[in-house]
Amino acid sequence: MAGQRCAVVGVGQTKYESTRGDVSMPGLVREAALRALADAEMEWADIDAVVIGKAPDFFEGVMMPELYLAEALGCVGKPILRVHTAGSVGGSTALVAASLVQAGVHGRVLTLGYEKQSESNAMWALSLPQPFQTSVNAGAGGYFSPIIRQYMTRSNAPDLIGCMVAFKDRRHALRNPYAHLHQTDLTFDQVVDSPMLWDPIRYSETCPSSDGACAMVLTDETAADRASKPVAWVHGTAMRSEANNFPGRDEVNPAASRQCAAEVFAQAGIRDPRNEIDVVEMYVPFSWYEPMWLESIGFCDEGEGWKLVEEGVTNFEGGDLPVNCSGGVLSSNPIGASGMIRFAEAALQVRGMAGDHQVDGVSKAFGHAYGGGAQYFAMWVLGTDKP
Amino acid sequence: MTGSEVPPIDLPDLDVSAIEAIEGVEPVRSVRTPIRLDYRYVPGRAAVTYLEAMAEKRILGQRDPDTGHVFVPPRGVNPASGRVLDEFVELPDRGHVGSFCITNVPIPGRDDLSLPYASCWIFLDGADIGFLGLVAGCDPDEVRLGMRVAAKWKPDDELTASAENIRWWEPTGEPDMPLDEIRGGRGA
Amino acid sequence: MRPVAVVSTAQRQEPELSGLTEVELMAPLIEKARSAVGLTQADIGFTCSGSSDFLAGQAFSFVMTLDAVGPVPPIAESHVEMDGAWALYEAWVKLQIGEIDTALVYSYGKSSPGSIRDVLATQLDPYYVAPLWPDSWALGALQARVLLEGGVVSERRMAEIAARSQSHAAGNANAVRAGTPTVDDLLDTAFVADPLRPHDCAATADGGVAVVLAADDRAGDLSDRPAWIRGIDHRIDAHHFGVRDLVAAPSAALAARHAGLGSDRVDIAELHSPFTTSEHLLTDALGLDEAAVTINPSGGALAGDTLMASGLMRIAEVADRISAGTADRGVAHASSGPWLQQNLVCVMGAD
């Protein structure tokens, strides 16, 4: 672990919904922030600095909205940083907050990610006319689908692995009251029979579009030692980025992903991730990315990820490496918060506070986010013991 | 598990009450505040050269003299090294499908497309990176890895300095690329 | 804190860079900043950039610009949707952890594609204020009016600030507004947003800047005279207009105090002031004695304001003068938001 010790002492989430029409943008971020502060048993005045992240400003139509949110985030007279690293932003934001503590610059940092996609038209924001080039891919699904096809060809995975992941995550979401999608009557056959949008990606294998915010309070060792509730210690943090399109790029298993995982496990002193990590919160916006990331991160050998899915290894019930017990991005996707939710859910698991989706006996958890054309990565490892 | 089993949210109390003066006032749930901003995009140095050649039905890429790699469409740098590029090379208007996606989602502004259509990673002969292009002129079910395709240009009297000059890519009927020569992923 | 210094800078600023994409603008600048100290990207421990999608008119606009760095093999990297001065702050934090010794920071902005004064209106309260589309000059004029009526500044003082900026800018190839107008000449011009005249408003520009940071002994290895960061801090004020005190810049004063400005003598100050009136406020908030401190030797942001890069350019201007030996101590300032809402202060020195 790098620098001074750092721990997660508070987590706060909003209910994720397609439209949080009951709150304004400040109301939304405040809801998550106040819950994180309450969990940390702190007041606004206890916070030294704020680090906020979100995806493109066009989603809400507000340029650099942290300026407008200064009061709502209780940071008047304090430092605030605004991170934006595409889809990985929620994870990167948490890591910037952690680095403030690890560097000894601040002792108590509030970090928050949010998106209020209902305030604007996300499809519009992502489809601003791109002059000088033709538009052929119709959204993120069109971009990732050819990569998923490559994975299927390369690994000889059975066609329905993606459906198994989607069904699993939607079942997991029923255990998480904050999740956006609570499809209580969903059957596996319904997932399989859902419309094929971007072949091989079916409708039920894609993430929803959600409003929501997620916040954490990170502190130094002194403050964490004083906490009355369990804390989650940061054992490793890593960020890696690579170019979108260059000769020889492995898009299925990007070098940036592999190197980011190697770095975070090295920091955490983990040699055998499959056996040493107890629970995983991974950024899976399209179902097939679960087996793909399992391989890339090193939870199994290349070509073996789909077998873990097929064998139920990643299930909450009965799996020895449960993945996305919260329901994951496939069940809640406020983009700017989605990465932070992964990081925060990892913290809840380590703290034993994940409620009905709590895995027994967690001592180490892994949080993961990615973004861009699978080119931005943020990861952390948390543990019950001091690193 | 049934709906009634979804656990209730056990939330810390939040004081979100309105100030007394507006208690009882019917809340405003939304306001419409349209935003319009006009931008004048610039194609940039590399893209201007590329687009001007497009008007003549020529496809230009940029070559990195250090690595020999050819990039199309050109963006002025080698994305792997950041090296500034200024050497242009002409590429044939044909190549192969590296990977593809059969899409059932309409593209805003492309009403001419019938669903489903195939969007593909296309690797031109002599290029070292691929780009997304539309493959038509065949049943989407026939699209496959390694399929040879060529540009379907707009009629000559409709050509402008635009990437839209290529309406789509269509099969050439040549034999597929051998599996180990298909670009866009190891062994794919 | 761990000693960290600016060891190399490269920048470019023009009224309008209409022939270049952001990648084409930044690739040569990044290469220049790295190669000036003999580094390649493989030698850089952390990379951080600052830019805005609303300037580019594209979501995820920074993703393509990353190509300018050449991020293969993969790099440790982050991005702030803020002026590059805050990207430098994030890199400085990473260097404090002690695991890396070098960092690359860059930022860029092209306001020419859009109507910048309207684009900036989208920073305002989206429910109550932005729908009224107050443009940035109008907001500046509201503040100027309060300052004038309150006797805090005079129109002559404002013109003096503008004249000083323009004459300093005459020696700066990157400045976009330079000259030797007299104060009376300036006061003879028509208002653009009463009480603001053209010279009171920063000259909008397109541009970019790249900076290399190094820590401890590495800085001395890379530069004969590193510009050491002696203190750096940033703070934000409230946003809502009803609670702002328009005759003060409290977060600038707070950041200056936390950065240790005041305990140090400084020779030069580079201020990111969008208006002559804000320069006056900043001089006061930072406690700068104009008799002893050269304010904006480059002309400052008034002589060329590249949104998202202006703050990092101020840091580069101070660092360049320290490294060249024309100054021993200096302070650089960056701001963001309406009426100097958010401010960063970076105190630098040759020792």
Side-chain angles (χ1 to χ4, degrees), chain B residues 39-42 45-46 75 80, chain C residues 18 24 54 57-58 67 112-113:
Chain B
Y39 291 88
R40 291 175 294 121
Y41 292 107
V42 299
R45 198 159 46 198
R75 300 188 61 241
Chain C
S18 57
E24 290 170 331
F54 259 89
Q58 291 279 306
D67 287 358
S112 60

Side-chain angles (χ1 to χ4, degrees), chain A residues 4-12 32-33 36-53 73-75 78-83 92-113 214-221 223-224 226 232 234 340 380, chain C residues 89 93 234-235:
Chain A
Q4 303 192 21
R5 286 179 174 143
C6 172
V8 182
V9 305
V11 169
L37 288 172
D39 186 20
E41 299 174 319
M42 287 189 191
E43 308 278 339
W44 291 109
D46 295 321
I47 298 298
D48 300 326
V50 178
V51 184
I52 183 171
L73 292 166
C75 60
K78 295 177 184 175
I80 178 169
L81 283 169
R82 157 70 194 288
V83 181
S92 312
T93 303
L95 296 188
V96 173
S99 69
L100 286 168
V101 175
Q102 292 169 325
V105 174
H106 294 299
R108 288 154 304 187
V109 179
L110 173 70
T111 185
L112 184 141
C214 177
M216 288 188 282
V217 177
L218 307 185
T219 69
D220 59 16
E221 186 172 9
R226 281 203 302 264
V234 176
M340 190 168 293
W380 77 359
Chain C
Y89 179 83
V93 168
H234 62 100
R235 302 281 154 166

Side-chain angles (χ1 to χ4, degrees), chain C residues 10-252:
Chain C
Q11 56 174 307
R12 179 176 180 185
Q13 181 172 259
E14 291 181 20
E16 186 171 335
L17 284 163
S18 57
L20 297 177
T21 62
E22 284 82 350
V23 175
E24 290 170 331
L25 165 66
M26 290 312 299
L29 293 175
I30 288 168
E31 178 52 23
K32 187 175 170 192
R34 285 186 307 218
S35 61
V37 285
L39 298 183
T40 67
Q41 188 59 29
D43 304 315
I44 301 286
F46 180 69
T47 300
C48 198
S49 64
S51 68
S52 164
D53 280 351
F54 259 89
L55 278 196
Q58 291 279 306
F60 303 113
S61 56
F62 61 93
V63 174
M64 292 317 255
T65 313
L66 185 63
D67 287 358
V69 177
V72 178
I75 60 174
E77 188 263 351
S78 187
H79 171 263
V80 293
E81 194 84 352
M82 307 178 84
D83 185 288
W86 279 268
L88 180 137
Y89 179 83
E90 185 181 330
W92 175 83
V93 168
K94 286 285 196 299
L95 286 161
Q96 293 305 317
I97 295 174
E99 300 224 313
I100 55 165
D101 298 324
T102 55
L104 167 70
V105 181
Y106 65 95
S107 71
Y108 53 90
K110 285 176 59 178
S111 10
S112 60
S115 163
I116 188 61
R117 288 155 51 203
D118 293 324
V119 169
L120 285 172
T122 65
Q123 282 186 338
L124 307 173
D125 179 329
Y127 307 115
Y128 291 134
V129 183
L132 306 173
W133 291 97
D135 80 47
S136 53
W137 286 0
L139 291 183
L142 285 172
Q143 181 171 44
R145 176 79 59 205
V146 172
L147 294 167
L148 284 165
E149 302 279 322
V152 179
V153 294
S154 62
E155 291 186 43
R156 176 158 290 273
R157 159 75 173 156
M158 289 158 65
E160 285 166 0
I161 288 172
R164 178 177 68 196
S165 159
Q166 292 187 36
S167 74
H168 284 174
N172 175 8
N174 284 316
V176 303
R177 186 198 281 147
T180 51
T182 68
V183 168
D184 290 324
D185 290 341
L186 293 175
L187 288 173
D188 261 351
T189 54
F191 292 117
V192 291
D194 187 355
L196 297 178
R197 297 179 168 87
H199 62 259
D200 290 312
C201 308
T204 304
D206 291 352
V209 54
V211 167
V212 175
L213 298 177
D216 292 331
D217 295 345
R218 196 72 197 277
D221 295 343
L222 296 175
S223 167
D224 293 339
R225 203 172 137 95
W228 295 99
I229 296 172
R230 299 174 58 85
I232 183 167
D233 193 82
H234 62 100
R235 302 281 154 166
I236 194 167
D237 288 316
H239 181 82
H240 291 84
F241 290 0
V243 300
R244 292 289 297 276
D245 177 359
L246 296 191
V247 302
S251 65

Side-chain angles (χ1 to χ4, degrees), chain A residues 201-288:
Chain A
I201 303 176
R202 293 168 178 80
Y203 173 74
S204 288
E205 297 178 85
T206 66
C207 52
S209 167
S210 317
D211 283 357
C214 177
M216 288 188 282
V217 177
L218 307 185
T219 69
D220 59 16
E221 186 172 9
T222 309
D225 283 343
R226 281 203 302 264
S228 65
K229 296 179 189 171
V231 306
W233 294 97
V234 176
H235 286 219
T237 64
M239 287 159 77
R240 287 292 184 278
S241 312
E242 69 182 27
N244 180 272
N245 189 6
F246 59 89
R249 178 171 191 233
D250 187 344
E251 293 172 313
V252 173
N253 188 355
S257 166
R258 284 179 273 136
Q259 292 184 16
C260 192
E263 167 70 18
V264 79
F265 289 139
Q267 280 184 28
I270 286 175
R271 290 156 184 268
D272 179 359
R274 169 79 189 273
N275 286 311
E276 293 180 63
I277 296 289
D278 302 304
V279 63
V280 175
E281 279 284 339
M282 188 187 270
Y283 202 98
V284 178
F286 300 103
S287 59
W288 280 95

